[in-house]
Amino acid sequence: MGVSRRGLLAAGLAALALPGCGDGEQTRTDPDRKVEVFSWWAGPGEKEGLEALVADFSRNNPGVEFGNAAVAGGAGTVAKSILATRLQNDDPPDSYQAHAGLELAADIEAGYVEDVRDLYQEQGWLDKLPTGLVQAITVDGAIYCVPVNIHRSNLMWYNPKILAGMQLTPPVSWADFLSQADVIAGRGLTPLSIGPAWTQKHLLENVLLGQLGAQTYAELWTGGTNWEGPAVLAALRLYTGVLARSDLAAPAWDWQPALDKVVAGTAAYNVMGDWADAYLRTKGLTFTEGYGVVASPGSDRVYNFLSDSFTLPRGAPHPGAARKWLVECGSVGGQDAFNPQKGSVPARTDTDRSKYTGYLAAAVAEWADDGTRVVGSLTHGVVANTAWSAAIDTALAAFVQDRDAAKFARAVAVSRT
Ligand code: GAL
């Protein structure tokens, strides 16, 4: 945890009263000597990317001490509540991880983050990022974060040896998955592994995407698609069928152990974003021999995207160093150090493609392909603000138990803010 501004002031006064004891405080208040960065990249498959970015940052900024304030837990579920408390208590880190898109809207409204458009001008970033991404992070002409990557949510991971043993190829539709599921269950395997609530939401968005198609899916978040109409209700019922073929009764405690079941061959498939690629590589597995991946059923040629970005909180204790961190996040060198380790493609369009191999070579090509349709992730902050997303969490917790599609659809529709 950092130190509140009030705490710093008190500590500063104490240092004045006790000469010789103020060195530590001097370090903390020096705008360039230290940077505390808050993220949720603490677990395997996440921390390696952060470490690579930090190593490049430290090479470029030898005088700045990096304070790693990462809080473990997939999708930041734990980190986000700790961060919210810190921001409310006027105790911000120097920079925090946030998704590009509507997730940041409430923090912007609360005045927690600074506009960093001047950095974009200084660094020439506006021409180096995809227009759609810049639009997703611009609010009334201001820009409140620096994107470091693009992740893809709609992917289905599998163990090729296990599928070959059952003479199966990955399903191309959710109906196809359901018929395969009987074969898989007949062999004593779990058709689909699942983890905690956010992974159930992650699965939901990708079942909706696969069933409804990109356009109708995108309009779920903009008001153009009727949540209570027959197409969405049918997709929601199909979701309950998918859940019934999962190990929801004994879910994994996070996304990594859910993937472990696929690696071990006790489950056939797992739907997860491409941070899974980084994790599977940490297990010594290689793409395509050790693991395989396809677009989640029905979403071929669609990129359900999310983007990790970093902010400059208002009242950051070391704003000078925080700006250096943001410059690193937005740089070619930083992105090319981070993304090959993280399992994501760079947010910038002018990076060195030769650094992206295995799964990532295909991801970089698909992301850059004009024929790829781009939609935004619900679970990872792009398409819904935090209030609506939290209301969906509450409704989903009930839905996975009672399987009442109409009740869920109504709850989602009425909670849109
Ligand atoms: C996402 C985040 C990814 C990855 C994933 C699993 O929300 O954007 O970078 O960390 O959670 O924790």
PDB file of all heavy atoms in Angstrom, residues 249-268:
ATOM      1  N   ALA A 249     -19.856 -27.124 -11.054  1.00  0.00           N
ATOM      2  CA  ALA A 249     -20.101 -27.591  -9.675  1.00  0.00           C
ATOM      3  C   ALA A 249     -18.814 -27.574  -8.856  1.00  0.00           C
ATOM      4  O   ALA A 249     -18.859 -27.454  -7.634  1.00  0.00           O
ATOM      5  CB  ALA A 249     -20.690 -28.994  -9.704  1.00  0.00           C
ATOM      6  N   ALA A 250     -17.678 -27.682  -9.533  1.00  0.00           N
ATOM      7  CA  ALA A 250     -16.380 -27.634  -8.834  1.00  0.00           C
ATOM      8  C   ALA A 250     -15.424 -26.791  -9.668  1.00  0.00           C
ATOM      9  O   ALA A 250     -14.449 -27.290 -10.230  1.00  0.00           O
ATOM     10  CB  ALA A 250     -15.825 -29.051  -8.660  1.00  0.00           C
ATOM     11  N   PRO A 251     -15.694 -25.484  -9.754  1.00  0.00           N
ATOM     12  CA  PRO A 251     -14.896 -24.651 -10.664  1.00  0.00           C
ATOM     13  C   PRO A 251     -13.472 -24.439 -10.163  1.00  0.00           C
ATOM     14  O   PRO A 251     -13.221 -24.516  -8.963  1.00  0.00           O
ATOM     15  CB  PRO A 251     -15.666 -23.318 -10.657  1.00  0.00           C
ATOM     16  CG  PRO A 251     -16.359 -23.270  -9.338  1.00  0.00           C
ATOM     17  CD  PRO A 251     -16.666 -24.700  -8.974  1.00  0.00           C
ATOM     18  N   ALA A 252     -12.573 -24.171 -11.086  1.00  0.00           N
ATOM     19  CA  ALA A 252     -11.189 -23.843 -10.696  1.00  0.00           C
ATOM     20  C   ALA A 252     -11.195 -22.484  -9.991  1.00  0.00           C
ATOM     21  O   ALA A 252     -12.076 -21.657 -10.225  1.00  0.00           O
ATOM     22  CB  ALA A 252     -10.317 -23.793 -11.941  1.00  0.00           C
ATOM     23  N   TRP A 253     -10.202 -22.235  -9.147  1.00  0.00           N
ATOM     24  CA  TRP A 253     -10.204 -20.997  -8.354  1.00  0.00           C
ATOM     25  C   TRP A 253      -9.720 -19.800  -9.153  1.00  0.00           C
ATOM     26  O   TRP A 253      -9.933 -18.658  -8.766  1.00  0.00           O
ATOM     27  CB  TRP A 253      -9.416 -21.152  -7.057  1.00  0.00           C
ATOM     28  CG  TRP A 253      -7.979 -21.547  -7.249  1.00  0.00           C
ATOM     29  CD1 TRP A 253      -7.483 -22.818  -7.311  1.00  0.00           C
ATOM     30  CD2 TRP A 253      -6.853 -20.676  -7.409  1.00  0.00           C
ATOM     31  NE1 TRP A 253      -6.131 -22.803  -7.518  1.00  0.00           N
ATOM     32  CE2 TRP A 253      -5.715 -21.505  -7.574  1.00  0.00           C
ATOM     33  CE3 TRP A 253      -6.689 -19.298  -7.438  1.00  0.00           C
ATOM     34  CZ2 TRP A 253      -4.428 -20.967  -7.772  1.00  0.00           C
ATOM     35  CZ3 TRP A 253      -5.410 -18.778  -7.641  1.00  0.00           C
ATOM     36  CH2 TRP A 253      -4.305 -19.612  -7.802  1.00  0.00           C
ATOM     37  N   ASP A 254      -9.083 -20.041 -10.305  1.00  0.00           N
ATOM     38  CA  ASP A 254      -8.745 -18.923 -11.193  1.00  0.00           C
ATOM     39  C   ASP A 254      -8.531 -19.481 -12.600  1.00  0.00           C
ATOM     40  O   ASP A 254      -8.679 -20.688 -12.826  1.00  0.00           O
ATOM     41  CB  ASP A 254      -7.519 -18.153 -10.685  1.00  0.00           C
ATOM     42  CG  ASP A 254      -7.577 -16.665 -11.106  1.00  0.00           C
ATOM     43  OD1 ASP A 254      -8.368 -16.326 -12.007  1.00  0.00           O
ATOM     44  OD2 ASP A 254      -6.826 -15.853 -10.539  1.00  0.00           O
ATOM     45  N   TRP A 255      -8.178 -18.593 -13.532  1.00  0.00           N
ATOM     46  CA  TRP A 255      -8.112 -19.037 -14.927  1.00  0.00           C
ATOM     47  C   TRP A 255      -6.966 -20.003 -15.184  1.00  0.00           C
ATOM     48  O   TRP A 255      -7.097 -20.907 -16.001  1.00  0.00           O
ATOM     49  CB  TRP A 255      -8.066 -17.831 -15.862  1.00  0.00           C
ATOM     50  CG  TRP A 255      -6.851 -16.943 -15.724  1.00  0.00           C
ATOM     51  CD1 TRP A 255      -6.701 -15.902 -14.870  1.00  0.00           C
ATOM     52  CD2 TRP A 255      -5.624 -17.022 -16.466  1.00  0.00           C
ATOM     53  NE1 TRP A 255      -5.459 -15.328 -15.027  1.00  0.00           N
ATOM     54  CE2 TRP A 255      -4.780 -15.981 -16.004  1.00  0.00           C
ATOM     55  CE3 TRP A 255      -5.157 -17.865 -17.484  1.00  0.00           C
ATOM     56  CZ2 TRP A 255      -3.493 -15.770 -16.513  1.00  0.00           C
ATOM     57  CZ3 TRP A 255      -3.879 -17.652 -17.995  1.00  0.00           C
ATOM     58  CH2 TRP A 255      -3.067 -16.624 -17.516  1.00  0.00           C
ATOM     59  N   GLN A 256      -5.837 -19.839 -14.469  1.00  0.00           N
ATOM     60  CA  GLN A 256      -4.716 -20.749 -14.722  1.00  0.00           C
ATOM     61  C   GLN A 256      -5.061 -22.194 -14.363  1.00  0.00           C
ATOM     62  O   GLN A 256      -4.870 -23.097 -15.184  1.00  0.00           O
ATOM     63  CB  GLN A 256      -3.452 -20.296 -13.984  1.00  0.00           C
ATOM     64  CG  GLN A 256      -2.869 -18.962 -14.463  1.00  0.00           C
ATOM     65  CD  GLN A 256      -3.247 -17.816 -13.559  1.00  0.00           C
ATOM     66  OE1 GLN A 256      -4.294 -17.833 -12.933  1.00  0.00           O
ATOM     67  NE2 GLN A 256      -2.397 -16.792 -13.467  1.00  0.00           N
ATOM     68  N   PRO A 257      -5.603 -22.460 -13.148  1.00  0.00           N
ATOM     69  CA  PRO A 257      -5.971 -23.850 -12.856  1.00  0.00           C
ATOM     70  C   PRO A 257      -7.096 -24.397 -13.741  1.00  0.00           C
ATOM     71  O   PRO A 257      -7.187 -25.621 -13.931  1.00  0.00           O
ATOM     72  CB  PRO A 257      -6.379 -23.831 -11.375  1.00  0.00           C
ATOM     73  CG  PRO A 257      -6.435 -22.424 -10.960  1.00  0.00           C
ATOM     74  CD  PRO A 257      -5.656 -21.607 -11.935  1.00  0.00           C
ATOM     75  N   ALA A 258      -7.931 -23.516 -14.293  1.00  0.00           N
ATOM     76  CA  ALA A 258      -8.945 -24.012 -15.245  1.00  0.00           C
ATOM     77  C   ALA A 258      -8.244 -24.529 -16.508  1.00  0.00           C
ATOM     78  O   ALA A 258      -8.600 -25.575 -17.059  1.00  0.00           O
ATOM     79  CB  ALA A 258      -9.944 -22.914 -15.586  1.00  0.00           C
ATOM     80  N   LEU A 259      -7.201 -23.806 -16.945  1.00  0.00           N
ATOM     81  CA  LEU A 259      -6.428 -24.274 -18.112  1.00  0.00           C
ATOM     82  C   LEU A 259      -5.627 -25.527 -17.784  1.00  0.00           C
ATOM     83  O   LEU A 259      -5.404 -26.378 -18.655  1.00  0.00           O
ATOM     84  CB  LEU A 259      -5.470 -23.170 -18.576  1.00  0.00           C
ATOM     85  CG  LEU A 259      -6.069 -22.149 -19.525  1.00  0.00           C
ATOM     86  CD1 LEU A 259      -5.231 -20.888 -19.545  1.00  0.00           C
ATOM     87  CD2 LEU A 259      -6.189 -22.714 -20.941  1.00  0.00           C
ATOM     88  N   ASP A 260      -5.192 -25.630 -16.527  1.00  0.00           N
ATOM     89  CA  ASP A 260      -4.416 -26.813 -16.130  1.00  0.00           C
ATOM     90  C   ASP A 260      -5.196 -28.099 -16.401  1.00  0.00           C
ATOM     91  O   ASP A 260      -4.605 -29.134 -16.714  1.00  0.00           O
ATOM     92  CB  ASP A 260      -4.066 -26.751 -14.630  1.00  0.00           C
ATOM     93  CG  ASP A 260      -2.987 -25.715 -14.330  1.00  0.00           C
ATOM     94  OD1 ASP A 260      -2.310 -25.259 -15.280  1.00  0.00           O
ATOM     95  OD2 ASP A 260      -2.834 -25.364 -13.140  1.00  0.00           O
ATOM     96  N   LYS A 261      -6.511 -28.035 -16.289  1.00  0.00           N
ATOM     97  CA  LYS A 261      -7.323 -29.239 -16.519  1.00  0.00           C
ATOM     98  C   LYS A 261      -7.247 -29.657 -17.990  1.00  0.00           C
ATOM     99  O   LYS A 261      -7.277 -30.847 -18.302  1.00  0.00           O
ATOM    100  CB  LYS A 261      -8.773 -28.985 -16.110  1.00  0.00           C
ATOM    101  CG  LYS A 261      -8.926 -28.721 -14.609  1.00  0.00           C
ATOM    102  CD  LYS A 261     -10.378 -28.556 -14.217  1.00  0.00           C
ATOM    103  CE  LYS A 261     -10.488 -28.192 -12.739  1.00  0.00           C
ATOM    104  NZ  LYS A 261     -11.862 -28.042 -12.270  1.00  0.00           N
ATOM    105  N   VAL A 262      -7.148 -28.670 -18.875  1.00  0.00           N
ATOM    106  CA  VAL A 262      -7.007 -28.981 -20.305  1.00  0.00           C
ATOM    107  C   VAL A 262      -5.620 -29.577 -20.559  1.00  0.00           C
ATOM    108  O   VAL A 262      -5.468 -30.560 -21.286  1.00  0.00           O
ATOM    109  CB  VAL A 262      -7.240 -27.709 -21.156  1.00  0.00           C
ATOM    110  CG1 VAL A 262      -6.950 -27.963 -22.618  1.00  0.00           C
ATOM    111  CG2 VAL A 262      -8.677 -27.209 -20.966  1.00  0.00           C
ATOM    112  N   VAL A 263      -4.613 -28.976 -19.922  1.00  0.00           N
ATOM    113  CA  VAL A 263      -3.243 -29.484 -20.087  1.00  0.00           C
ATOM    114  C   VAL A 263      -3.156 -30.920 -19.569  1.00  0.00           C
ATOM    115  O   VAL A 263      -2.580 -31.802 -20.213  1.00  0.00           O
ATOM    116  CB  VAL A 263      -2.238 -28.582 -19.323  1.00  0.00           C
ATOM    117  CG1 VAL A 263      -0.842 -29.179 -19.341  1.00  0.00           C
ATOM    118  CG2 VAL A 263      -2.229 -27.179 -19.927  1.00  0.00           C
ATOM    119  N   ALA A 264      -3.779 -31.161 -18.417  1.00  0.00           N
ATOM    120  CA  ALA A 264      -3.720 -32.501 -17.816  1.00  0.00           C
ATOM    121  C   ALA A 264      -4.587 -33.511 -18.562  1.00  0.00           C
ATOM    122  O   ALA A 264      -4.457 -34.718 -18.362  1.00  0.00           O
ATOM    123  CB  ALA A 264      -4.168 -32.421 -16.359  1.00  0.00           C
ATOM    124  N   GLY A 265      -5.488 -32.999 -19.414  1.00  0.00           N
ATOM    125  CA  GLY A 265      -6.332 -33.904 -20.192  1.00  0.00           C
ATOM    126  C   GLY A 265      -7.573 -34.366 -19.453  1.00  0.00           C
ATOM    127  O   GLY A 265      -8.241 -35.301 -19.889  1.00  0.00           O
ATOM    128  N   THR A 266      -7.924 -33.682 -18.365  1.00  0.00           N
ATOM    129  CA  THR A 266      -9.187 -34.036 -17.691  1.00  0.00           C
ATOM    130  C   THR A 266     -10.350 -33.207 -18.228  1.00  0.00           C
ATOM    131  O   THR A 266     -11.505 -33.542 -18.002  1.00  0.00           O
ATOM    132  CB  THR A 266      -9.083 -33.850 -16.157  1.00  0.00           C
ATOM    133  OG1 THR A 266      -8.703 -32.500 -15.883  1.00  0.00           O
ATOM    134  CG2 THR A 266      -8.043 -34.802 -15.566  1.00  0.00           C
ATOM    135  N   ALA A 267     -10.044 -32.123 -18.921  1.00  0.00           N
ATOM    136  CA  ALA A 267     -11.080 -31.333 -19.599  1.00  0.00           C
ATOM    137  C   ALA A 267     -10.665 -31.146 -21.058  1.00  0.00           C
ATOM    138  O   ALA A 267      -9.463 -31.094 -21.365  1.00  0.00           O
ATOM    139  CB  ALA A 267     -11.249 -29.966 -18.931  1.00  0.00           C
ATOM    140  N   ALA A 268     -11.654 -31.037 -21.953  1.00  0.00           N
ATOM    141  CA  ALA A 268     -11.324 -30.934 -23.381  1.00  0.00           C
ATOM    142  C   ALA A 268     -11.051 -29.495 -23.817  1.00  0.00           C
ATOM    143  O   ALA A 268     -10.138 -29.249 -24.609  1.00  0.00           O
ATOM    144  CB  ALA A 268     -12.462 -31.518 -24.209  1.00  0.00           C
TER     145      ALA A 268
END
